[in-house]
Amino acid sequence: MWTRQHKQRNTGRLIIPSLCVVFVAYFGFHAYHGEFGINSRYQMEARAADLQGQLNVIKARRIELERRVQLLHEGSIEKDMLDEQARRALNLSQPDEITIMLPDSDK
């Protein structure tokens, strides 16, 4: 009868736990840094807040432009609006007037 006498190795016991650690580390890394991870969510929320601010500015500008257009469409043009547009287009003013021209932010 043959007997085998060898020493038990502990490396076999470490294979499964080490594979589990590798898988957990891999999925943990991608859960935080991946395309749909936690970090990406915070970046998307910050971008959404920034875009919402831009949208509010654009909506305010649109309301202002619609108000000015409405002044031109109500049956008759208001004299002040007509005078303002004519002075801006012709770049003219009376000698006794002070004219302050503000830069157009829409151009």
Side-chain angles (χ1 to χ4, degrees):
M1 167 163 243
W2 292 84
T3 61
R4 289 187 184 188
Q5 294 179 358
H6 58 64
K7 191 174 184 180
Q8 291 283 338
R9 294 184 197 157
N10 290 333
T11 56
R13 294 182 200 169
L14 297 177
I15 292 174
I16 292 177
S18 61
L19 287 176
C20 290
V21 167
V22 168
F23 283 126
V24 168
Y26 175 79
F27 288 116
F29 176 81
H30 287 287
Y32 186 77
H33 293 288
E35 184 178 353
F36 300 105
I38 297 169
N39 192 25
S40 296
R41 178 181 176 193
Y42 291 135
Q43 290 175 352
M44 283 185 201
E45 287 175 355
R47 179 149 168 76
D50 183 41
L51 291 175
Q52 186 64 39
Q54 290 179 6
L55 178 65
N56 292 339
V57 168
I58 291 171
K59 280 184 178 180
R61 178 72 177 143
R62 179 180 176 182
I63 289 171
E64 174 64 24
L65 289 173
E66 286 177 351
R67 185 190 63 80
R68 291 178 64 107
V69 167
Q70 192 66 28
L71 291 174
L72 295 173
H73 283 296
E74 290 182 0
S76 65
I77 299 175
E78 289 192 13
K79 291 179 183 179
D80 290 336
M81 182 64 112
L82 178 63
D83 186 47
E84 176 186 343
Q85 294 297 326
R87 287 175 191 267
R88 179 171 287 150
L90 299 174
N91 199 17
L92 296 174
S93 63
Q94 298 295 328
D96 60 346
E97 293 179 338
I98 298 174
T99 305
I100 301 173
M101 300 296 278
L102 298 175
D104 289 338
S105 60
D106 59 11
K107 291 183 180 179

